[in-house]
Amino acid sequence: MRNIALLKNNITNILKNKSMKNFLILSVLFLFILNHTSLAQQHKIRKASRIREEEKLYELSMIWKEVSYNFDNMDNCPNLNVDSLYRAYIPLVRKTQDDLEDFKLIQRFMAHFNNAHTCMTDFPTYLDDYMGRLYLKSIYKNGKIFVENIPIQHVGKLNIGDEIITINGIDAVEYFKQNYIPYYSLSNADNKMSSAMFAYGLPHCHPLHTKFILGIKTSEGIKKVKIFADRKMDDVSSKWIVKDFSSFNDNIFAIDLKNSFAYINLNGANSNSDKFFAEHIDSLRNIQDLILDLSHHGGGQAIYNRNIYEFLLKQDTISYSDCTTRVNRPFYKARGAYWCNDTLKGDALNDFYCACFHNTHFEPIEEYTNYKYLNTSEKSSRFQGNIYVIIGDNTFSAGEDLVNMLSQDKNIKFFGKKTGGSTGNPYRFRLPSGIEIRPLREIVEAKIKASLQGDRSRRSNLLFNRLESNKAEYESA
């Protein structure tokens, strides 16, 4: 900050002398200030930071304690030692120079658990005025990164469809692998690059006006384009070239009465999707073939799935997905310290003591496990045709719940790719600084192994690889 003040004084002196030499010096100095704007913002962030080192360490210990005892889905990170991870992050936290660095470090810590519901969901707003994101949306396709949407102010510099070859002199794909992917909490590893694109989520928060130099592929070579992280955190204005742009498709309904065919796309589990489906139920009753597209179902509240699966499932009795949760048994943990014997692995009592000792004991959630209820939809009014469900790596959370419920009907066929992973019941808690953390505390027993990527118990006997059994049909479709 002091250096920039000195530069401003030099500029004032130069303005008094109008020689060409001084004019050139002035131009260089202006460029220097422009390129160091983010340094000034970093200084402001450090000045606005509130969390002392001991408080940062305390908050890290709170997160470590919570995930050590209550995080359920260790199957998705089997080689992760939580204690070793915690110890490795202690010196890293101590080295952070401001609160933003600490927040990003917490994001990275949570991302090690490979679970979309286990993440940092919010941080305090007192730094909002000093942070920004790129006004740019990108997309990852076939191993390459393209510009997907731009604001009005970038017209002339960028075009929708431009291929981004480099970012700040580094290969674009490699840049994302180094700077963004490590901060994203996702269950499906295949979806990390797509989810990390500009400029969604907390990992894309930078000091305001941070400069990025994009290498854009053109017919004449690589063109360098400068853009800045100047979209403030509270900016909800719509300056995009493509208006009403969304990463998820809208709810869509199409019908072909001549060929007795219908298509319905649902983008989430909410009151709007529930109402949308209900509006078209009468049109579906006499249709022979229905395609239900859940490939961009972003999740929501599973209660809004009920009217959908009750109409589509033909059976009178419906089963909930079996669920388990991690349980701490201190008394049996103490016994396990004496009686757990790895050479007796397979013995039920020994395995129980060992699980309690290692804090990996799971128990069924009574409200769901083996729970069955009567389908409230009139049998005569339920859908009687063929059902084809499209799923993909953007099928998340309550979308996977719907997939799981529909999988009870073995006549329903599922096509596509592995879902995004992470359905279940995450627990939210807020740290003293204002950071909000969300670890998963429930495992839903996945009934379709190939489609439900995350959140399943290693002891599940309910995994049916139906997608693989339909592979030949899928490939010919």
Side-chain angles (χ1 to χ4, degrees):
M1 198 66 182
R2 181 174 177 272
N3 291 335
I4 292 178
L6 290 173
L7 286 170
K8 289 181 178 179
N9 291 332
N10 289 336
I11 290 170
T12 302
N13 294 329
I14 289 171
L15 287 173
K16 296 176 182 179
N17 188 332
K18 298 182 179 180
S19 68
M20 181 57 70
K21 179 180 178 181
N22 286 341
F23 176 77
L24 292 174
I25 294 174
L26 175 63
S27 301
V28 172
L29 290 173
F30 268 125
L31 289 173
F32 180 87
I33 290 176
L34 180 64
N35 290 336
H36 288 75
T37 303
S38 62
L39 294 178
Q41 291 299 323
Q42 287 178 348
H43 177 81
K44 291 180 180 179
I45 289 173
R46 289 173 186 175
K47 190 174 180 179
S49 295
R50 304 176 181 179
I51 313 174
R52 298 191 302 271
E53 180 182 303
E54 60 269 25
E55 293 172 330
K56 294 177 182 178
L57 293 172
Y58 171 67
E59 293 194 339
L60 178 65
S61 69
M62 289 182 67
I63 299 170
W64 164 73
K65 179 180 69 173
E66 186 64 41
V67 295
S68 293
Y69 285 92
N70 293 314
F71 174 64
D72 277 351
N73 194 210
M74 292 304 293
D75 287 2
N76 234 24
C77 47
N79 299 318
L80 180 65
N81 184 304
V82 181
D83 292 344
S84 297
L85 181 69
Y86 169 61
R87 293 179 64 182
Y89 268 73
I90 290 175
L92 299 179
V93 167
R94 282 179 169 159
K95 290 179 181 178
T96 58
Q97 299 184 44
D98 55 58
D99 290 358
L100 180 58
E101 288 185 7
D102 180 58
F103 299 159
K104 284 189 169 291
L105 204 61
I106 297 300
Q107 291 176 44
R108 188 160 187 161
F109 181 88
M110 299 302 293
H112 286 283
F113 295 91
N114 296 335
N115 185 280
H117 273 154
T118 301
C119 58
M120 174 177 161
T121 55
D122 194 14
F123 54 72
T125 59
Y126 61 82
L127 293 181
D128 282 1
D129 290 340
Y130 314 108
M131 294 191 300
R133 292 168 290 171
L134 287 177
Y135 224 135
L136 171 69
K137 293 180 180 179
S138 63
I139 188 170
Y140 182 68
K141 285 185 176 181
N142 301 321
K144 299 177 180 180
I145 297 173
F146 299 91
V147 174
E148 189 175 34
N149 207 353
I150 58 173
I152 296 170
Q153 61 265 33
H154 288 349
V155 173
K157 293 199 300 183
L158 293 169
N159 299 296
I160 294 175
D162 280 348
E163 182 182 350
I164 304 174
I165 301 296
T166 61
I167 302 172
N168 293 340
I170 302 173
D171 175 79
V173 173
E174 188 61 31
Y175 188 89
F176 272 89
K177 288 180 179 179
Q178 293 177 12
N179 295 281
Y180 295 115
I181 286 181
Y183 299 90
Y184 272 86
S185 298
L186 289 170
S187 307
N188 188 338
D190 296 336
N191 195 38
K192 283 201 171 187
M193 180 63 78
S194 297
S195 297
M197 289 292 101
F198 293 133
Y200 303 104
L202 298 181
H204 283 285
C205 298
H206 300 277
L208 194 63
H209 306 310
T210 298
K211 182 178 69 175
F212 291 81
I213 301 177
L214 306 182
I216 303 298
K217 184 178 181 180
T218 69
S219 58
E220 299 175 354
I222 297 178
K223 176 181 71 173
K224 292 185 178 181
V225 176
K226 292 181 183 179
I227 59 174
F228 297 85
D230 51 10
R231 186 183 184 192
K232 300 196 73 173
M233 302 304 294
D234 58 354
D235 184 356
V236 294
S237 60
S238 180
K239 302 176 183 177
W240 300 105
I241 295 299
V242 179
K243 299 296 182 182
D244 301 320
F245 183 90
S246 173
S247 60
F248 299 123
N249 295 329
D250 292 331
N251 293 321
I252 299 171
F253 177 77
I255 192 167
D256 180 351
L257 293 174
K258 181 179 179 181
N259 294 297
S260 192
F261 163 83
Y263 169 91
I264 189 164
N265 177 91
L266 297 177
N267 69 355
N270 49 57
S271 58
N272 291 332
S273 59
D274 184 39
K275 180 180 178 182
F276 180 82
F277 191 85
E279 289 173 350
H280 297 289
I281 280 183
D282 289 340
S283 302
L284 295 173
R285 295 191 194 280
N286 297 316
I287 293 297
Q288 182 177 345
D289 295 300
L290 169 65
I291 291 181
L292 177 62
D293 191 345
L294 303 178
S295 61
H296 285 83
H297 193 298
Q301 294 178 281
I303 190 173
Y304 291 109
N305 289 334
R306 182 163 180 164
N307 290 333
I308 300 171
Y309 61 71
E310 285 195 350
F311 173 71
L312 297 179
L313 291 174
K314 298 179 177 64
Q315 63 256 43
D316 295 327
T317 303
I318 296 177
S319 301
Y320 277 129
S321 301
D322 288 352
C323 300
T324 58
T325 188
R326 194 171 171 188
V327 177
N328 298 303
R329 293 289 196 95
F331 175 79
Y332 294 106
K333 180 175 182 177
R335 282 196 171 184
Y338 296 99
W339 293 357
C340 176
N341 188 336
D342 290 338
T343 62
L344 297 178
K345 190 174 181 179
D347 177 81
L349 185 60
N350 178 75
D351 290 349
F352 170 73
Y353 285 136
C354 289
C356 292
F357 177 68
H358 293 296
N359 295 318
T360 57
H361 175 60
F362 286 78
E363 293 183 1
I365 300 175
E366 295 180 0
E367 291 91 333
Y368 299 108
T369 302
N370 297 321
Y371 180 78
K372 298 181 180 180
Y373 75 96
L374 293 177
N375 191 338
T376 61
S377 177
E378 291 291 335
K379 189 167 186 175
S380 59
S381 65
R382 297 172 201 160
F383 186 76
Q384 298 300 316
N386 303 312
I387 301 173
Y388 307 90
V389 182
I390 303 175
I391 55 178
D393 51 18
N394 283 316
T395 309
F396 284 107
S397 195
E400 294 170 301
D401 283 334
L402 180 54
V403 171
N404 229 6
M405 296 302 290
L406 293 175
S407 68
Q408 296 175 63
D409 186 340
K410 295 185 179 181
N411 293 315
I412 295 178
K413 293 182 172 59
F414 296 86
F415 303 106
K417 298 188 296 182
K418 289 180 180 179
T419 57
S422 191
T423 182
N425 184 26
Y427 160 62
R428 295 174 182 265
F429 68 97
R430 195 170 286 274
L431 300 172
S433 66
I435 296 175
E436 185 177 83
I437 300 296
R438 187 179 65 178
L440 187 77
R441 300 183 71 171
E442 170 191 349
I443 289 181
V444 178
E445 305 288 352
K447 295 185 178 180
I448 308 178
K449 182 177 181 181
S451 66
L452 288 175
Q453 164 72 13
D455 302 349
R456 57 179 182 267
S457 168
R458 64 177 63 83
R459 289 168 299 283
S460 173
N461 294 319
L462 301 174
L463 302 176
F464 299 100
N465 195 342
R466 291 180 54 197
L467 191 61
E468 285 297 316
S469 67
N470 292 325
K471 186 176 181 180
E473 185 174 357
Y474 166 58
E475 290 176 344
S476 63

